[in-house]
Amino acid sequence: MKERGTLVVVSGFSGAGKGTVLAQVLARRPDLYFSVSFTTRAPREGEQDGVNYHFVTREEFQARIGRGEFLEYAEYVGNYYGTSMQVIREKLERGIDVVLEIEIQGAAKVREKLPEAVSLFLVPPSFEELSRRLHARGTDSEEKIQQRLATAREEAKEIVNYDYIVVNDTVDHAVEEILAILTAESCRKERRLHLMEGV
Ligand code: 5GP
């Protein structure tokens, strides 16, 4: 019986393909719990409330901040995003591994509060590729895309604070890298020494 679950924090530039990669990780590891964040951003086409995000108003988000409900939250490109503390805590206590897909300010807060969290940063093979992917997605205006690219350049300075860098050259390759990291983390002596008790 394993003890506490592992908290896995995944960040990456907007357009680095986090959503696609993580959906496939989940398909291969259905035992993982993917945290559904709260956001004040408008849903994109095809996004469902309660599945991709809990979509809330700024007023509701601020009320939740006031009630101390978030493990972390951040304002990113004009919208709030936050992780509910209660659900995460309950899963970890039950020994379930939890994946948070959050941006760097939030990841820094999680590392501060829960230093045992494992953090991964997903990068595209190049900046040119990132720009191409953001344009290909076709969901944001040119102004928003330029804003996201400028943000990515700033965020690149924070990558050094993460435990792992995952390169998303192909989705399959990135998925394999993440699965390998999860496996390696589960073999850490801190998680396994109890097996040796009584030897
Ligand atoms: P998007 O609008 O593209 O869905 O997300 C924008 C950014 O917000 C992404 O980098 C995503 O990882 C991040 N994000 C999503 N949920 C959360 C959250 O709960 N907390 C924080 N800090 N960032 C989040």
Side-chain angles (χ1 to χ4, degrees):
M1 173 73 190
K2 91 177 180 177
E3 291 152 15
R4 267 176 79 79
T6 303
L7 183 60
V8 182
V9 175
V10 181
S11 300
F13 305 130
S14 176
K18 293 184 296 278
T20 314
V21 170
L22 290 178
Q24 294 208 16
V25 170
L26 182 61
R28 300 268 296 271
R29 286 283 310 270
D31 57 304
L32 297 174
Y33 174 76
F34 268 63
S35 163
V36 180
S37 298
F38 285 80
T39 186
T40 59
R41 144 163 107 53
R44 296 198 184 108
E45 201 171 320
E47 284 185 333
Q48 279 176 277
D49 188 34
V51 177
N52 306 90
Y53 283 104
H54 300 290
F55 295 100
V56 296
T57 62
R58 279 187 90 80
E59 291 67 34
E60 182 175 345
F61 199 99
Q62 279 159 345
R64 286 176 184 275
I65 296 174
R67 293 196 294 269
E69 289 182 16
F70 293 119
L71 167 65
E72 64 72 35
Y73 70 90
E75 202 161 3
Y76 179 86
V77 199
N79 291 300
Y80 278 125
Y81 295 86
T83 309
S84 155
M85 176 118 63
Q86 196 196 340
V87 183
I88 306 303
R89 188 186 287 149
E90 182 241 331
K91 300 284 179 199
L92 292 175
E93 278 169 8
R94 283 172 48 202
I96 297 170
D97 295 342
V98 174
V99 179
L100 305 183
E101 193 247 279
I102 62 179
E103 51 67 67
I104 53 160
Q105 307 167 66
K109 278 182 223 155
V110 172
R111 253 188 246 108
E112 220 176 274
K113 285 190 181 168
L114 303 168
E116 69 278 17
V118 178
S119 57
L120 284 64
F121 201 98
L122 188 69
V123 295
S126 67
F127 244 85
E128 292 68 37
E129 177 61 14
L130 180 64
S131 171
R132 200 194 61 73
R133 288 182 192 177
L134 281 173
H135 283 95
R137 188 160 77 174
T139 51
D140 289 318
S141 64
E142 185 58 32
E143 192 195 341
K144 273 269 183 224
I145 291 175
Q146 290 310 323
Q147 216 176 351
R148 283 180 190 275
L149 287 172
T151 305
R153 285 207 168 76
E154 276 306 303
E155 287 176 344
K157 297 174 190 159
E158 302 293 322
I159 296 180
V160 65
N161 297 318
Y162 284 73
D163 299 314
Y164 296 96
I165 296 173
V166 174
V167 179
N168 186 15
D169 44 4
T170 69
V171 172
D172 284 352
H173 187 208
V175 169
E176 287 306 329
E177 288 196 350
I178 293 176
L179 292 173
I181 292 165
L182 295 176
T183 302
E185 284 295 327
S186 71
C187 299
R188 277 197 177 276
K189 65 180 178 211
E190 292 79 359
R191 304 196 155 270
R192 292 257 162 111
L193 272 177
H194 69 97
L195 299 174
M196 296 295 103
E197 277 162 22
V199 172

